[in-house]
Amino acid sequence: SPSKLQSSSPNFVANAFSIKPHHLRPRHHPSQLTMSATTANAEDKPTHKIRAGFVGCGTIASSIATSLAKPAHQTHLAQNSLALSSIHVTRRSESKSKALKENFPDVVTVCETAEEVVRNSDLVFLCVLPQHVEGVLGELKEKGVWRKGEHTLVSLVSTSKVDDLIQKTSLPPNHVYKMICLPPIANREGCALLQPPASNSENGLPFLKSMLDALGGCVECPTDDVMNAMMIPGCMMGSMYGVMRNTRDWLGM
């Protein structure tokens, strides 16, 4: 409810997904402020190698993979003691996976199966349609590809629940997350939502929060209720951009 959201996470909705014209944006990118606080300690921390995998390669998966792979973004990852090692993606959608391979041939590998992606990754992004989640995760669990304590699953499926994902994979609770973001993450713009919080020093995976901060920013949601409320502004963006596109085309711009 709105009252719960206000009490548990003040200003979350006001701050997340904020989009401003380029000339009105703050001089310093929000994630740069985070990085400036950690840069001093970055040299003292061991570098965490990211072996990312994408089961499903649509617009959102392609955007996240692009942001991870862009050479210009490697500095931001390094300032958070992170480095990209590899990216494995499923072939579908073929136009997206083909473009990733062509743009980043040194780090991207296109796989024929989800099993191959998971076996060659540590951080797995689930980016399939809601109706395919149970079948995909059921097959992966049956084949025994999940490595407990090594694999981290991040679901980009809007209808997924963290507890269900834990049950379907048998991964430890602190290795399963739900994430929502928009395509501008490819350019380090916008803000990702993450639930549950990964920066929890006792049970979380701080590298995941640091990675998302390096790619544009991250708002951690403590509960499903907060996550659902935070998703509303993101759901509205598609229709807003559609209206803007139609207006542009009508004006002949």
Side-chain angles (χ1 to χ4, degrees), residues 10-11 46 55 61 119 130 132 135 156 172 214 222 232 236:
N11 300 322
V55 178
R119 290 193 184 279
H132 296 159
L156 276 293
I232 294 173
M236 296 173 63

Side-chain angles (χ1 to χ4, degrees), residues 12-158:
F12 269 16
V13 173
N15 293 331
F17 292 125
S18 58
I19 299 178
K20 299 179 181 179
H22 182 74
H23 65 284
L24 295 179
R25 290 178 186 165
R27 185 173 181 180
H28 297 289
H29 192 283
S31 63
Q32 289 178 322
L33 300 179
T34 302
M35 287 188 293
S36 66
T38 61
T39 299
N41 298 324
E43 295 181 358
D44 300 330
K45 298 179 181 178
T47 299
H48 182 97
K49 298 287 187 179
I50 300 170
R51 297 201 312 152
F54 293 85
V55 178
C57 190
T59 299
I60 296 299
S62 176
S63 298
I64 300 170
T66 296
S67 194
L68 282 170
K70 276 186 175 179
H73 293 183
Q74 300 313 303
T75 299
H76 300 284
L77 290 171
Q79 288 174 323
N80 283 270
S81 300
L82 300 169
L84 177 66
S85 176
S86 64
I87 294 176
H88 286 72
V89 302
T90 51
R91 185 171 298 279
R92 186 175 180 183
S93 298
E94 188 161 4
S95 61
K96 301 292 185 183
S97 61
K98 181 179 179 181
L100 284 171
K101 180 62 177 177
E102 290 176 350
N103 292 333
F104 311 105
D106 294 336
V107 294
V108 172
T109 300
V110 178
C111 303
E112 297 299 330
T113 66
E115 178 184 358
E116 187 181 353
V117 168
V118 175
R119 290 193 184 279
N120 288 280
S121 308
D122 299 320
L123 177 60
V124 180
F125 293 90
L126 182 65
C127 307
V128 300
L129 295 174
Q131 59 267 34
H132 296 159
V133 170
E134 189 163 352
V136 170
L137 293 183
E139 183 180 352
L140 291 172
K141 186 175 182 179
E142 183 179 339
K143 292 183 176 180
V145 298
W146 296 110
R147 301 187 302 273
K148 293 183 180 180
E150 296 181 29
H151 271 128
T152 297
L153 174 66
V154 180
S155 173
L156 276 293
V157 182
S158 62

Side-chain angles (χ1 to χ4, degrees), residues 188-229:
R188 297 187 65 251
E189 297 179 350
C191 191
L193 304 179
L194 188 68
Q195 188 260 328
S199 58
N200 187 314
S201 59
E202 294 182 0
N203 300 316
L205 294 178
F207 89 88
L208 184 57
K209 171 68 161 56
S210 298
M211 184 192 78
L212 295 177
D213 279 337
L215 300 184
C218 176
V219 173
E220 295 182 307
C221 302
T223 66
D224 280 334
D225 289 340
V226 174
M227 183 68 157
N228 290 336

